[in-house]
Amino acid sequence: MAKPTIITESSPALEAEEAPVTKKSPVAGPLGWADDRLGLAKLGRGNLRKVFPDHWSFLLGEVALYSFVILLLTGVFLTIWYKPSMAEIEYAGSYQLMKGIPMSEALSSTLNISFDVRGGLLVRQIHHWAALLFVAAAFVHMLRVFFTGAFRKPREVNWLIGVGLLSMSLIAGFAGYSLPDDLLSGTGLRFVDGLIRSIPIIGTWAEFFVFGGQFPGDIIIPRLYMVHILLVPGLLLGLISAHLALVVYHKHTQYPGPGRTENNVVGYPLFPVYMAKAGGFFFVVFGLLVLMGGLFQINPVWLYGPYDPAKITAGSQPDWYMGFVEGAIRIVPNWETHIWGTTWSWNVFVPGLGMMGLLFGLLAAWPFVEAWLTGDKREHHVLDRPRNVPTRTALGVAGITAFSLFMIGGGNDIIATRFRLDLNAITLFLRVAVFVLPVIAFLITRRVCIGLQRADKERVLHGSESGIISRAPDGGYSEPHLPISVDEQYTLTSHLQHAVLEAGPTADENGIRIKQKVSPLRARLSRWFLEHDAAKPTAAELEEAASHGVGGVREIEAAEARALEESSNR
């Protein structure tokens, strides 16, 4: 049989099966070996040159990230020796004052870490301080994002991730706070038991489900341990990874300034500048936490003793991030309702679970609420100056005021004893203040922001004060102003100002009812949110200001010449 002719046209199937040509990496050694197999050079070539803006407020998120890393490192150390068991034993460790006292294995192992494990107490305290710093940095970071409008399109999903991170951090902090099983942490667990039981209809069932029976049961510590070292850290790690991935994808936000637009990022590259700064800052945070762990005592469980449901620690306080919940419950009157044989404890459920749900619900909804109020659907990569959005800034300050008042309520007994005040008087004051002071703070903040907006407009139009007082021939005094730089003018006038939404007609020219694009309610709320903004200078006003600026310089030069002539005559 004759041989078939050679096929010169390659088929798609054969082409797909051909092995790709592998290019040898230009880097030698282990990095070259990894690059040949993983393509790290191509991946890193673009990402290592990613630009990050240079502003101190961006470090707040880094503090939270580095605190989380330190929490993971110290948590692994503590996990080796901690025993998550509520089995009762007699303490036989080296702390003589508690020898022979019955306690759980959880507390015994905590005391063992503190007194018998080399460096254990230092690591315990670093871990606790890092937890407090992590939540504090996350709080302040979210406030920065809120006040500067960094949650706007296209970063709404990243804001929701941030809300999830904040809520998960509270759960992780509370679970870790409860693990030692001492009298203070047991008091906190009793508080949460009351919150769970206050849930209408299902409260008792939920308590039995969480605690495995009546409080305190014998399984809550192992369950909290699982939540603290496995469930919540896994969720936090995933959310942090998604958060950072979206930061890379959307590029970094930046503050207004010359050369900074919605289409670029002005700053330093990741490698080598930002990476060196970030690495150094990590060790600054680590060193600070080591100093705090070594110098400032926190959570001395050996002073509290083992948990006993019949006892309570005098002056017990939760970690600061849960103080607002306890404060809200303390100041609410004893409101209860009995319906069909069931008790509805509004005085615990509403200020406890209800307020936390309201807080995180409002935080999650705010990006979409503000977009609805302004009608803004554009992408934003340049941040707002808080003064340029006075209503949003005022709402944030009002929320901080209410949060602070609830925190004060959480320590009303400490305040009463330390300052020799009446506890009931403090409680009555806070019941009124949580409704009055946030409103006052809102009004004052909005007026301050509007005043700062007008001051910026005056500075753009009339320049900066020169500090030279001139006297006119008619005896009047004036101070000529110096024109500000073009860069400063751009910074003060580059922000967007939204027009107030107006409600459309309800019917057409034939009297037929039509669907409104903007409802009357939305129009009223938009007017409340936007109408107080001070208008930016117009182009005509800027041109006139430029001519006045030249005159101002001439007036200053003339005044300086007169002063020099007078001094020489003397």
Side-chain angles (χ1 to χ4, degrees), residues 451-495:
L452 291 173
Q453 281 185 313
R454 292 172 178 170
D456 287 345
K457 183 176 181 179
E458 288 291 319
R459 186 172 178 82
V460 170
L461 295 178
H462 302 293
S464 62
E465 298 175 351
S466 62
I468 299 175
I469 306 299
S470 301
R471 184 178 182 183
D474 60 358
Y477 292 90
S478 63
E479 180 185 13
H481 285 200
L482 288 169
I484 62 176
S485 65
V486 176
D487 289 348
E488 187 178 358
Q489 284 186 354
Y490 177 83
T491 302
L492 297 180
T493 59
S494 61
H495 59 280

mmCIF file of all heavy atoms in Angstrom, residues 451-495:
data_model
loop_
_atom_site.group_PDB
_atom_site.id
_atom_site.type_symbol
_atom_site.label_atom_id
_atom_site.label_comp_id
_atom_site.label_asym_id
_atom_site.label_seq_id
_atom_site.Cartn_x
_atom_site.Cartn_y
_atom_site.Cartn_z
ATOM 1 N N GLY A 451 -19.178 76.916 57.742
ATOM 2 C CA GLY A 451 -18.270 78.035 57.961
ATOM 3 C C GLY A 451 -16.905 77.792 57.344
ATOM 4 O O GLY A 451 -16.301 78.705 56.761
ATOM 5 N N LEU A 452 -16.399 76.560 57.428
ATOM 6 C CA LEU A 452 -15.112 76.238 56.814
ATOM 7 C C LEU A 452 -15.204 76.296 55.293
ATOM 8 O O LEU A 452 -14.249 76.729 54.620
ATOM 9 C CB LEU A 452 -14.662 74.844 57.259
ATOM 10 C CG LEU A 452 -14.266 74.718 58.736
ATOM 11 C CD1 LEU A 452 -14.004 73.260 59.091
ATOM 12 C CD2 LEU A 452 -13.041 75.568 59.041
ATOM 13 N N GLN A 453 -16.332 75.887 54.729
ATOM 14 C CA GLN A 453 -16.520 76.010 53.289
ATOM 15 C C GLN A 453 -16.465 77.472 52.853
ATOM 16 O O GLN A 453 -15.810 77.816 51.858
ATOM 17 C CB GLN A 453 -17.868 75.413 52.886
ATOM 18 C CG GLN A 453 -17.898 73.903 52.795
ATOM 19 C CD GLN A 453 -19.238 73.406 52.284
ATOM 20 O OE1 GLN A 453 -20.304 73.833 52.736
ATOM 21 N NE2 GLN A 453 -19.201 72.483 51.347
ATOM 22 N N ARG A 454 -17.135 78.329 53.598
ATOM 23 C CA ARG A 454 -17.126 79.758 53.249
ATOM 24 C C ARG A 454 -15.740 80.362 53.438
ATOM 25 O O ARG A 454 -15.322 81.233 52.661
ATOM 26 C CB ARG A 454 -18.156 80.489 54.103
ATOM 27 C CG ARG A 454 -19.593 80.112 53.751
ATOM 28 C CD ARG A 454 -20.595 80.705 54.725
ATOM 29 N NE ARG A 454 -21.959 80.354 54.336
ATOM 30 C CZ ARG A 454 -23.028 80.578 55.098
ATOM 31 N NH1 ARG A 454 -22.882 81.143 56.298
ATOM 32 N NH2 ARG A 454 -24.229 80.229 54.669
ATOM 33 N N ALA A 455 -15.011 79.895 54.459
ATOM 34 C CA ALA A 455 -13.645 80.377 54.647
ATOM 35 C C ALA A 455 -12.757 79.958 53.478
ATOM 36 O O ALA A 455 -11.906 80.744 53.022
ATOM 37 C CB ALA A 455 -13.084 79.844 55.966
ATOM 38 N N ASP A 456 -12.947 78.752 52.969
ATOM 39 C CA ASP A 456 -12.187 78.317 51.796
ATOM 40 C C ASP A 456 -12.517 79.176 50.584
ATOM 41 O O ASP A 456 -11.624 79.541 49.799
ATOM 42 C CB ASP A 456 -12.507 76.844 51.485
ATOM 43 C CG ASP A 456 -11.868 75.889 52.480
ATOM 44 O OD1 ASP A 456 -10.965 76.326 53.222
ATOM 45 O OD2 ASP A 456 -12.276 74.705 52.522
ATOM 46 N N LYS A 457 -13.806 79.481 50.419
ATOM 47 C CA LYS A 457 -14.202 80.318 49.292
ATOM 48 C C LYS A 457 -13.581 81.705 49.405
ATOM 49 O O LYS A 457 -13.079 82.265 48.410
ATOM 50 C CB LYS A 457 -15.729 80.415 49.236
ATOM 51 C CG LYS A 457 -16.258 81.216 48.042
ATOM 52 C CD LYS A 457 -17.776 81.183 48.002
ATOM 53 C CE LYS A 457 -18.291 81.973 46.789
ATOM 54 N NZ LYS A 457 -19.773 81.929 46.710
ATOM 55 N N GLU A 458 -13.583 82.270 50.596
ATOM 56 C CA GLU A 458 -12.951 83.587 50.802
ATOM 57 C C GLU A 458 -11.460 83.523 50.503
ATOM 58 O O GLU A 458 -10.888 84.450 49.926
ATOM 59 C CB GLU A 458 -13.182 84.054 52.241
ATOM 60 C CG GLU A 458 -14.605 84.483 52.549
ATOM 61 C CD GLU A 458 -14.960 85.773 51.828
ATOM 62 O OE1 GLU A 458 -14.106 86.680 51.782
ATOM 63 O OE2 GLU A 458 -16.089 85.860 51.289
ATOM 64 N N ARG A 459 -10.830 82.437 50.895
ATOM 65 C CA ARG A 459 -9.389 82.308 50.654
ATOM 66 C C ARG A 459 -9.090 82.215 49.168
ATOM 67 O O ARG A 459 -8.104 82.777 48.686
ATOM 68 C CB ARG A 459 -8.858 81.077 51.384
ATOM 69 C CG ARG A 459 -7.347 80.915 51.317
ATOM 70 C CD ARG A 459 -6.866 79.784 52.215
ATOM 71 N NE ARG A 459 -5.421 79.600 52.116
ATOM 72 C CZ ARG A 459 -4.528 80.320 52.776
ATOM 73 N NH1 ARG A 459 -4.933 81.279 53.599
ATOM 74 N NH2 ARG A 459 -3.230 80.091 52.631
ATOM 75 N N VAL A 460 -9.941 81.507 48.433
ATOM 76 C CA VAL A 460 -9.737 81.394 46.984
ATOM 77 C C VAL A 460 -9.945 82.738 46.309
ATOM 78 O O VAL A 460 -9.173 83.143 45.421
ATOM 79 C CB VAL A 460 -10.683 80.331 46.401
ATOM 80 C CG1 VAL A 460 -10.667 80.368 44.878
ATOM 81 C CG2 VAL A 460 -10.295 78.949 46.889
ATOM 82 N N LEU A 461 -10.993 83.463 46.708
ATOM 83 C CA LEU A 461 -11.337 84.715 46.027
ATOM 84 C C LEU A 461 -10.468 85.885 46.467
ATOM 85 O O LEU A 461 -10.131 86.752 45.650
ATOM 86 C CB LEU A 461 -12.811 85.047 46.279
ATOM 87 C CG LEU A 461 -13.830 84.068 45.683
ATOM 88 C CD1 LEU A 461 -15.238 84.484 46.054
ATOM 89 C CD2 LEU A 461 -13.681 83.968 44.173
ATOM 90 N N HIS A 462 -10.093 85.934 47.733
ATOM 91 C CA HIS A 462 -9.397 87.118 48.250
ATOM 92 C C HIS A 462 -7.985 86.836 48.733
ATOM 93 O O HIS A 462 -7.307 87.751 49.190
ATOM 94 C CB HIS A 462 -10.214 87.731 49.397
ATOM 95 C CG HIS A 462 -11.600 88.108 48.996
ATOM 96 N ND1 HIS A 462 -11.883 89.118 48.103
ATOM 97 C CD2 HIS A 462 -12.809 87.580 49.341
ATOM 98 C CE1 HIS A 462 -13.184 89.230 47.935
ATOM 99 N NE2 HIS A 462 -13.776 88.293 48.673
ATOM 100 N N GLY A 463 -7.547 85.588 48.657
ATOM 101 C CA GLY A 463 -6.181 85.271 49.024
ATOM 102 C C GLY A 463 -5.997 85.113 50.521
ATOM 103 O O GLY A 463 -6.938 85.143 51.303
ATOM 104 N N SER A 464 -4.753 84.959 50.917
ATOM 105 C CA SER A 464 -4.418 84.773 52.326
ATOM 106 C C SER A 464 -4.031 86.103 52.959
ATOM 107 O O SER A 464 -3.609 87.046 52.275
ATOM 108 C CB SER A 464 -3.257 83.789 52.460
ATOM 109 O OG SER A 464 -2.100 84.296 51.824
ATOM 110 N N GLU A 465 -4.170 86.170 54.274
ATOM 111 C CA GLU A 465 -3.828 87.393 54.978
ATOM 112 C C GLU A 465 -2.322 87.628 54.920
ATOM 113 O O GLU A 465 -1.517 86.716 55.091
ATOM 114 C CB GLU A 465 -4.283 87.300 56.434
ATOM 115 C CG GLU A 465 -5.789 87.142 56.580
ATOM 116 C CD GLU A 465 -6.204 86.922 58.017
ATOM 117 O OE1 GLU A 465 -5.293 86.726 58.863
ATOM 118 O OE2 GLU A 465 -7.409 86.934 58.304
ATOM 119 N N SER A 466 -1.950 88.873 54.678
ATOM 120 C CA SER A 466 -0.534 89.204 54.540
ATOM 121 C C SER A 466 0.119 89.573 55.860
ATOM 122 O O SER A 466 1.340 89.506 55.998
ATOM 123 C CB SER A 466 -0.379 90.379 53.569
ATOM 124 O OG SER A 466 -1.041 91.532 54.094
ATOM 125 N N GLY A 467 -0.682 89.986 56.844
ATOM 126 C CA GLY A 467 -0.118 90.415 58.116
ATOM 127 C C GLY A 467 0.375 91.849 58.112
ATOM 128 O O GLY A 467 0.950 92.310 59.104
ATOM 129 N N ILE A 468 0.160 92.579 57.017
ATOM 130 C CA ILE A 468 0.583 93.982 56.896
ATOM 131 C C ILE A 468 -0.655 94.881 56.938
ATOM 132 O O ILE A 468 -1.580 94.696 56.134
ATOM 133 C CB ILE A 468 1.367 94.228 55.595
ATOM 134 C CG1 ILE A 468 2.641 93.365 55.592
ATOM 135 C CG2 ILE A 468 1.705 95.703 55.432
ATOM 136 C CD1 ILE A 468 3.412 93.446 54.300
ATOM 137 N N ILE A 469 -0.691 95.832 57.848
ATOM 138 C CA ILE A 469 -1.813 96.757 57.985
ATOM 139 C C ILE A 469 -1.441 98.083 57.313
ATOM 140 O O ILE A 469 -0.410 98.685 57.619
ATOM 141 C CB ILE A 469 -2.159 96.994 59.461
ATOM 142 C CG1 ILE A 469 -2.397 95.644 60.174
ATOM 143 C CG2 ILE A 469 -3.381 97.891 59.588
ATOM 144 C CD1 ILE A 469 -3.523 94.841 59.601
ATOM 145 N N SER A 470 -2.298 98.482 56.373
ATOM 146 C CA SER A 470 -2.072 99.735 55.638
ATOM 147 C C SER A 470 -3.094 100.774 56.061
ATOM 148 O O SER A 470 -4.259 100.456 56.312
ATOM 149 C CB SER A 470 -2.175 99.493 54.122
ATOM 150 O OG SER A 470 -1.222 98.534 53.709
ATOM 151 N N ARG A 471 -2.636 102.043 56.117
ATOM 152 C CA ARG A 471 -3.531 103.134 56.468
ATOM 153 C C ARG A 471 -3.762 104.008 55.241
ATOM 154 O O ARG A 471 -2.813 104.488 54.602
ATOM 155 C CB ARG A 471 -2.938 103.973 57.601
ATOM 156 C CG ARG A 471 -3.870 105.082 58.071
ATOM 157 C CD ARG A 471 -3.270 105.860 59.226
ATOM 158 N NE ARG A 471 -4.191 106.894 59.689
ATOM 159 C CZ ARG A 471 -3.917 107.762 60.654
ATOM 160 N NH1 ARG A 471 -2.716 107.697 61.270
ATOM 161 N NH2 ARG A 471 -4.798 108.665 61.030
ATOM 162 N N ALA A 472 -5.017 104.230 54.917
ATOM 163 C CA ALA A 472 -5.382 105.039 53.760
ATOM 164 C C ALA A 472 -5.300 106.522 54.116
ATOM 165 O O ALA A 472 -5.274 106.897 55.302
ATOM 166 C CB ALA A 472 -6.793 104.673 53.304
ATOM 167 N N PRO A 473 -5.231 107.440 53.088
ATOM 168 C CA PRO A 473 -5.178 108.889 53.363
ATOM 169 C C PRO A 473 -6.352 109.393 54.189
ATOM 170 O O PRO A 473 -6.225 110.373 54.925
ATOM 171 C CB PRO A 473 -5.176 109.506 51.956
ATOM 172 C CG PRO A 473 -4.587 108.447 51.083
ATOM 173 C CD PRO A 473 -5.054 107.165 51.653
ATOM 174 N N ASP A 474 -7.503 108.721 54.089
ATOM 175 C CA ASP A 474 -8.663 109.164 54.852
ATOM 176 C C ASP A 474 -8.648 108.622 56.281
ATOM 177 O O ASP A 474 -9.596 108.845 57.046
ATOM 178 C CB ASP A 474 -9.956 108.756 54.153
ATOM 179 C CG ASP A 474 -10.060 107.245 53.981
ATOM 180 O OD1 ASP A 474 -9.102 106.523 54.366
ATOM 181 O OD2 ASP A 474 -11.085 106.768 53.454
ATOM 182 N N GLY A 475 -7.595 107.897 56.661
ATOM 183 C CA GLY A 475 -7.465 107.416 58.021
ATOM 184 C C GLY A 475 -7.931 106.000 58.241
ATOM 185 O O GLY A 475 -7.757 105.458 59.335
ATOM 186 N N GLY A 476 -8.518 105.330 57.227
ATOM 187 C CA GLY A 476 -8.982 103.962 57.376
ATOM 188 C C GLY A 476 -7.838 102.960 57.294
ATOM 189 O O GLY A 476 -6.784 103.235 56.701
ATOM 190 N N TYR A 477 -8.036 101.819 57.904
ATOM 191 C CA TYR A 477 -7.022 100.772 57.908
ATOM 192 C C TYR A 477 -7.524 99.571 57.117
ATOM 193 O O TYR A 477 -8.726 99.257 57.117
ATOM 194 C CB TYR A 477 -6.693 100.333 59.344
ATOM 195 C CG TYR A 477 -5.980 101.386 60.152
ATOM 196 C CD1 TYR A 477 -6.689 102.311 60.909
ATOM 197 C CD2 TYR A 477 -4.589 101.455 60.153
ATOM 198 C CE1 TYR A 477 -6.036 103.278 61.650
ATOM 199 C CE2 TYR A 477 -3.926 102.423 60.889
ATOM 200 C CZ TYR A 477 -4.650 103.336 61.642
ATOM 201 O OH TYR A 477 -3.985 104.290 62.366
ATOM 202 N N SER A 478 -6.597 98.907 56.443
ATOM 203 C CA SER A 478 -6.932 97.702 55.677
ATOM 204 C C SER A 478 -5.721 96.777 55.652
ATOM 205 O O SER A 478 -4.593 97.209 55.909
ATOM 206 C CB SER A 478 -7.346 98.059 54.240
ATOM 207 O OG SER A 478 -6.259 98.680 53.554
ATOM 208 N N GLU A 479 -6.013 95.527 55.349
ATOM 209 C CA GLU A 479 -4.935 94.540 55.250
ATOM 210 C C GLU A 479 -4.975 93.910 53.862
ATOM 211 O O GLU A 479 -5.902 93.167 53.529
ATOM 212 C CB GLU A 479 -5.107 93.441 56.309
ATOM 213 C CG GLU A 479 -4.022 92.381 56.252
ATOM 214 C CD GLU A 479 -4.253 91.235 57.221
ATOM 215 O OE1 GLU A 479 -5.364 91.142 57.759
ATOM 216 O OE2 GLU A 479 -3.326 90.431 57.418
ATOM 217 N N PRO A 480 -4.011 94.229 53.009
ATOM 218 C CA PRO A 480 -3.980 93.608 51.677
ATOM 219 C C PRO A 480 -3.729 92.103 51.796
ATOM 220 O O PRO A 480 -3.053 91.642 52.721
ATOM 221 C CB PRO A 480 -2.816 94.316 50.988
ATOM 222 C CG PRO A 480 -1.969 94.851 52.083
ATOM 223 C CD PRO A 480 -2.896 95.164 53.213
ATOM 224 N N HIS A 481 -4.294 91.356 50.878
ATOM 225 C CA HIS A 481 -4.164 89.904 50.871
ATOM 226 C C HIS A 481 -3.237 89.443 49.765
ATOM 227 O O HIS A 481 -3.141 90.082 48.700
ATOM 228 C CB HIS A 481 -5.537 89.247 50.686
ATOM 229 C CG HIS A 481 -6.378 89.305 51.918
ATOM 230 N ND1 HIS A 481 -7.438 88.470 52.141
ATOM 231 C CD2 HIS A 481 -6.315 90.100 53.009
ATOM 232 C CE1 HIS A 481 -8.007 88.741 53.301
ATOM 233 N NE2 HIS A 481 -7.327 89.738 53.837
ATOM 234 N N LEU A 482 -2.571 88.330 50.012
ATOM 235 C CA LEU A 482 -1.706 87.709 49.015
ATOM 236 C C LEU A 482 -2.488 86.654 48.239
ATOM 237 O O LEU A 482 -3.234 85.871 48.838
ATOM 238 C CB LEU A 482 -0.509 87.040 49.693
ATOM 239 C CG LEU A 482 0.562 87.962 50.271
ATOM 240 C CD1 LEU A 482 1.515 87.149 51.123
ATOM 241 C CD2 LEU A 482 1.308 88.674 49.160
ATOM 242 N N PRO A 483 -2.344 86.577 46.921
ATOM 243 C CA PRO A 483 -3.032 85.518 46.162
ATOM 244 C C PRO A 483 -2.429 84.160 46.505
ATOM 245 O O PRO A 483 -1.218 84.028 46.697
ATOM 246 C CB PRO A 483 -2.765 85.898 44.703
ATOM 247 C CG PRO A 483 -1.524 86.717 44.736
ATOM 248 C CD PRO A 483 -1.539 87.463 46.038
ATOM 249 N N ILE A 484 -3.274 83.142 46.609
ATOM 250 C CA ILE A 484 -2.788 81.795 46.919
ATOM 251 C C ILE A 484 -2.333 81.124 45.635
ATOM 252 O O ILE A 484 -2.630 81.579 44.518
ATOM 253 C CB ILE A 484 -3.880 80.962 47.610
ATOM 254 C CG1 ILE A 484 -5.091 80.786 46.693
ATOM 255 C CG2 ILE A 484 -4.286 81.606 48.923
ATOM 256 C CD1 ILE A 484 -6.161 79.890 47.283
ATOM 257 N N SER A 485 -1.607 80.036 45.783
ATOM 258 C CA SER A 485 -1.056 79.335 44.618
ATOM 259 C C SER A 485 -2.167 78.632 43.840
ATOM 260 O O SER A 485 -3.257 78.360 44.366
ATOM 261 C CB SER A 485 -0.013 78.307 45.069
ATOM 262 O OG SER A 485 -0.633 77.293 45.849
ATOM 263 N N VAL A 486 -1.853 78.332 42.579
ATOM 264 C CA VAL A 486 -2.809 77.618 41.733
ATOM 265 C C VAL A 486 -3.086 76.226 42.297
ATOM 266 O O VAL A 486 -4.222 75.735 42.253
ATOM 267 C CB VAL A 486 -2.270 77.521 40.292
ATOM 268 C CG1 VAL A 486 -3.214 76.696 39.421
ATOM 269 C CG2 VAL A 486 -2.094 78.902 39.698
ATOM 270 N N ASP A 487 -2.053 75.583 42.871
ATOM 271 C CA ASP A 487 -2.244 74.246 43.450
ATOM 272 C C ASP A 487 -3.242 74.291 44.601
ATOM 273 O O ASP A 487 -4.114 73.426 44.723
ATOM 274 C CB ASP A 487 -0.904 73.702 43.951
ATOM 275 C CG ASP A 487 0.026 73.334 42.808
ATOM 276 O OD1 ASP A 487 -0.454 73.280 41.656
ATOM 277 O OD2 ASP A 487 1.221 73.098 43.063
ATOM 278 N N GLU A 488 -3.134 75.309 45.447
ATOM 279 C CA GLU A 488 -4.061 75.417 46.568
ATOM 280 C C GLU A 488 -5.461 75.748 46.075
ATOM 281 O O GLU A 488 -6.449 75.237 46.609
ATOM 282 C CB GLU A 488 -3.578 76.472 47.556
ATOM 283 C CG GLU A 488 -4.418 76.514 48.831
ATOM 284 C CD GLU A 488 -3.911 77.518 49.845
ATOM 285 O OE1 GLU A 488 -2.882 78.161 49.594
ATOM 286 O OE2 GLU A 488 -4.571 77.668 50.901
ATOM 287 N N GLN A 489 -5.559 76.600 45.054
ATOM 288 C CA GLN A 489 -6.876 76.889 44.478
ATOM 289 C C GLN A 489 -7.532 75.617 43.960
ATOM 290 O O GLN A 489 -8.730 75.393 44.175
ATOM 291 C CB GLN A 489 -6.734 77.905 43.335
ATOM 292 C CG GLN A 489 -6.510 79.337 43.772
ATOM 293 C CD GLN A 489 -6.527 80.284 42.584
ATOM 294 O OE1 GLN A 489 -6.596 79.854 41.439
ATOM 295 N NE2 GLN A 489 -6.437 81.570 42.868
ATOM 296 N N TYR A 490 -6.750 74.780 43.298
ATOM 297 C CA TYR A 490 -7.297 73.534 42.768
ATOM 298 C C TYR A 490 -7.780 72.637 43.902
ATOM 299 O O TYR A 490 -8.871 72.042 43.828
ATOM 300 C CB TYR A 490 -6.227 72.821 41.936
ATOM 301 C CG TYR A 490 -6.677 71.478 41.400
ATOM 302 C CD1 TYR A 490 -7.429 71.387 40.231
ATOM 303 C CD2 TYR A 490 -6.359 70.300 42.073
ATOM 304 C CE1 TYR A 490 -7.849 70.160 39.744
ATOM 305 C CE2 TYR A 490 -6.777 69.069 41.596
ATOM 306 C CZ TYR A 490 -7.518 69.007 40.428
ATOM 307 O OH TYR A 490 -7.938 67.794 39.955
ATOM 308 N N THR A 491 -6.988 72.528 44.961
ATOM 309 C CA THR A 491 -7.361 71.677 46.083
ATOM 310 C C THR A 491 -8.656 72.147 46.732
ATOM 311 O O THR A 491 -9.502 71.333 47.127
ATOM 312 C CB THR A 491 -6.235 71.654 47.126
ATOM 313 O OG1 THR A 491 -5.025 71.189 46.503
ATOM 314 C CG2 THR A 491 -6.580 70.747 48.291
ATOM 315 N N LEU A 492 -8.849 73.469 46.831
ATOM 316 C CA LEU A 492 -10.010 74.007 47.520
ATOM 317 C C LEU A 492 -11.266 74.032 46.656
ATOM 318 O O LEU A 492 -12.366 74.212 47.188
ATOM 319 C CB LEU A 492 -9.709 75.422 48.019
ATOM 320 C CG LEU A 492 -8.585 75.557 49.055
ATOM 321 C CD1 LEU A 492 -8.396 77.016 49.448
ATOM 322 C CD2 LEU A 492 -8.882 74.723 50.287
ATOM 323 N N THR A 493 -11.112 73.865 45.353
ATOM 324 C CA THR A 493 -12.280 74.009 44.471
ATOM 325 C C THR A 493 -12.531 72.786 43.591
ATOM 326 O O THR A 493 -13.441 72.829 42.761
ATOM 327 C CB THR A 493 -12.093 75.233 43.553
ATOM 328 O OG1 THR A 493 -10.902 75.065 42.763
ATOM 329 C CG2 THR A 493 -11.981 76.510 44.361
ATOM 330 N N SER A 494 -11.784 71.704 43.750
ATOM 331 C CA SER A 494 -11.923 70.561 42.838
ATOM 332 C C SER A 494 -13.035 69.597 43.243
ATOM 333 O O SER A 494 -13.308 68.646 42.516
ATOM 334 C CB SER A 494 -10.597 69.794 42.759
ATOM 335 O OG SER A 494 -10.232 69.292 44.033
ATOM 336 N N HIS A 495 -13.669 69.813 44.393
ATOM 337 C CA HIS A 495 -14.687 68.863 44.846
ATOM 338 C C HIS A 495 -15.978 69.025 44.053
ATOM 339 O O HIS A 495 -16.293 70.108 43.530
ATOM 340 C CB HIS A 495 -14.961 69.056 46.338
ATOM 341 C CG HIS A 495 -15.440 70.428 46.694
ATOM 342 N ND1 HIS A 495 -14.597 71.504 46.827
ATOM 343 C CD2 HIS A 495 -16.683 70.912 46.956
ATOM 344 C CE1 HIS A 495 -15.286 72.577 47.154
ATOM 345 N NE2 HIS A 495 -16.562 72.237 47.231
#
